[in-house]
Amino acid sequence: MNIGVASEKSGLPAKTIRYYEDIGLLHPARTDNGYRDYSTADIHRLRFLQRSRSLGFSVDECRQLLSLYQDRERDSADVKAIAKAKLVEIDRKIAELVGLRGLLHHLVSHCHGDERPECPIIDELAGQGVAQ
Amino acid sequence: MNIGVASEKSGLPAKTIRYYEDIGLLHPARTDNGYRDYSTADIHRLRFLQRSRSLGFSVDECRQLLSLYQDRERDSADVKAIAKAKLVEIDRKIAELVGLRGLLHHLVSHCHGDERPECPIIDELAGQGVAQ
DNA sequence: GTTGACCTTCCATCTACTGGAAGGTCTATT
DNA sequence: AATAGACCTTCCAGTAGATGGAAGGTCAAC
């Protein structure tokens, strides 16, 4: 399978697939003309990467998950540990964004948004604000 | 004021302050020995940058906000527009993370997390899962 | 035989810094 | 006066995770 087909089947751009090969996440065969030749197993790996990346795992975490995926002797505990750590991280990010959202919303709702220069958003950013 | 003092007063690392100068966000004076010399106005700008960055604005948005901050003729509507766009972006990010969190939580809670290889997390990543 | 789609490598670019090397300057102490 | 240590300077490289583009090779169809 050429890279174009692999791209279509995995949902990853060809550029990204080459990049993943560069950083050692897969090693497709080559045909005589030098083109990359993807096996069905390669496609599985690519789809696995696409899914785990879109779930928010870093490329390095994907590397670990991929090796667990390919390890028939794996302990599910190892996978669970990575996923739980990611969950904690996501929770932290959500909390941070919700905090930001609250402050920003407060500022936006107190700004007239007209042609006058007075602006509580600028005041806050300048350290003259009321919020927080 | 030397960069060390500016760093302390603004809450930004010296490295970051030099970087902000590199990308044209401020232009401190220099003393005879070549050291950067920060005025009180520079410190205000740095604090403004520190606050707006920590509120989630990109450096480019900070550049816009900073020029509005320094523009006594500004329309508060311009500031509000930037802040509202950021609010929409933050809402989108939160929604995405909450979705991720739900799926990941579901997977984690269905994984035994023991020494057996069976793992619904891996199954999902491989496209064999039940979730979604 | 030539067009156009596809493939190759390599190099540059993006965001927002951060780390480190090599070297100049300032202040205090001996 | 010498020296130690803290501070400052510039410059270059690296981080994550791709993405864009140039220059050129290959393949299938007409």
Side-chain angles (χ1 to χ4, degrees), chain A residues 103-123 125, chain B residues 48 57 61 64-66 68-69 74-89:
Chain A
L103 178 50
L104 207 49
H105 182 79
H106 174 81
L107 292 174
V108 164
S109 67
H110 282 74
C111 175
H112 299 296
D114 54 22
E115 76 293 339
R116 288 174 294 172
E118 291 75 29
C119 179
I121 301 171
I122 287 285
D123 290 348
L125 294 175
Chain B
F48 185 95
F57 291 100
E61 286 161 341
Q64 292 173 57
L65 289 170
L66 195 57
L68 287 169
Y69 165 57
R74 70 172 169 250
D75 291 4
S76 62
D78 294 340
V79 181
K80 190 168 183 169
I82 296 175
K84 277 175 97 170
K86 182 51 60 175
L87 203 49
V88 168
E89 203 181 305

Side-chain angles (χ1 to χ4, degrees), chain A residues 13 15-16 19-20 33 35 53 58-59:
Chain A
K15 275 270 180 192
T16 304
Y19 170 69
Y20 284 170
N33 58 16
Y35 286 16
R53 284 291 296 131
S58 74
V59 165

Side-chain angles (χ1 to χ4, degrees), chain B residues 26-123:
Chain B
L26 72 164
H27 310 278
R30 297 278 178 146
T31 53
D32 288 346
N33 58 16
Y35 286 17
R36 288 170 180 83
D37 186 22
Y38 296 89
S39 67
T40 314
D42 288 326
I43 302 300
H44 287 328
R45 269 185 282 273
L46 287 171
R47 291 190 59 82
F48 185 95
L49 287 168
Q50 190 276 322
R51 281 160 185 272
S52 40
R53 285 289 299 128
S54 76
L55 256 178
F57 291 100
S58 73
V59 165
D60 239 49
E61 286 161 341
C62 289
R63 198 188 300 272
Q64 292 173 57
L65 289 170
L66 195 57
S67 87
L68 287 169
Y69 165 57
Q70 292 167 149
D71 176 7
R72 305 190 149 252
E73 307 287 301
R74 70 172 169 250
D75 291 4
S76 62
D78 294 340
V79 181
K80 190 168 183 169
I82 296 175
K84 277 175 97 170
K86 182 51 60 175
L87 203 49
V88 168
E89 203 181 305
I90 288 175
D91 279 342
R92 207 176 28 68
K93 271 189 203 161
I94 290 174
E96 192 185 332
L97 284 175
V98 166
L100 278 187
R101 205 210 102 88
L103 178 50
L104 207 49
H105 182 78
H106 173 82
L107 292 173
V108 164
S109 67
H110 282 74
C111 174
H112 299 296
D114 55 20
E115 78 292 340
R116 288 174 296 173
E118 291 78 28
C119 178
I121 301 170
I122 288 283
D123 291 347

Side-chain angles (χ1 to χ4, degrees), chain A:
Chain A
M1 240 176 297
N2 277 353
I3 199 168
V5 182
S7 165
E8 215 173 296
K9 294 211 178 196
S10 65
L12 290 168
K15 275 270 180 192
T16 304
I17 296 178
R18 286 194 201 97
Y19 170 69
Y20 284 170
E21 181 180 345
D22 270 6
I23 61 173
L25 289 177
L26 72 164
H27 310 278
R30 296 280 178 143
T31 53
D32 288 346
N33 58 16
Y35 286 16
R36 287 169 179 83
D37 187 21
Y38 295 89
S39 68
T40 314
D42 288 328
I43 303 299
H44 287 328
R45 269 185 282 273
L46 287 172
R47 290 189 59 81
F48 186 95
L49 286 168
Q50 190 276 320
R51 281 160 184 274
S52 40
R53 284 291 296 131
S54 76
L55 259 178
F57 291 100
S58 74
V59 165
D60 239 50
E61 285 160 342
C62 289
R63 198 188 300 270
Q64 293 173 56
L65 288 170
L66 197 57
S67 85
L68 287 169
Y69 166 57
Q70 292 168 149
D71 176 8
R72 303 186 152 256
E73 307 287 303
R74 70 170 170 252
D75 291 5
S76 63
D78 294 341
V79 181
K80 190 167 182 169
I82 297 175
K84 277 174 97 170
K86 183 52 60 173
L87 203 49
V88 168
E89 204 181 306
I90 289 176
D91 279 342
R92 209 175 27 71
K93 271 187 202 164
I94 290 175
E96 191 184 335
L97 284 175
V98 165
L100 278 186
R101 205 210 102 88
L103 178 50
L104 207 49
H105 182 79
H106 174 81
L107 292 174
V108 164
S109 67
H110 282 74
C111 175
H112 299 296
D114 54 22
E115 76 293 339
R116 288 174 294 172
E118 291 75 29
C119 179
I121 301 171
I122 287 285
D123 290 348
E124 167 66 20
L125 294 175
Q128 311 292 316
V130 236
Q132 284 225 346

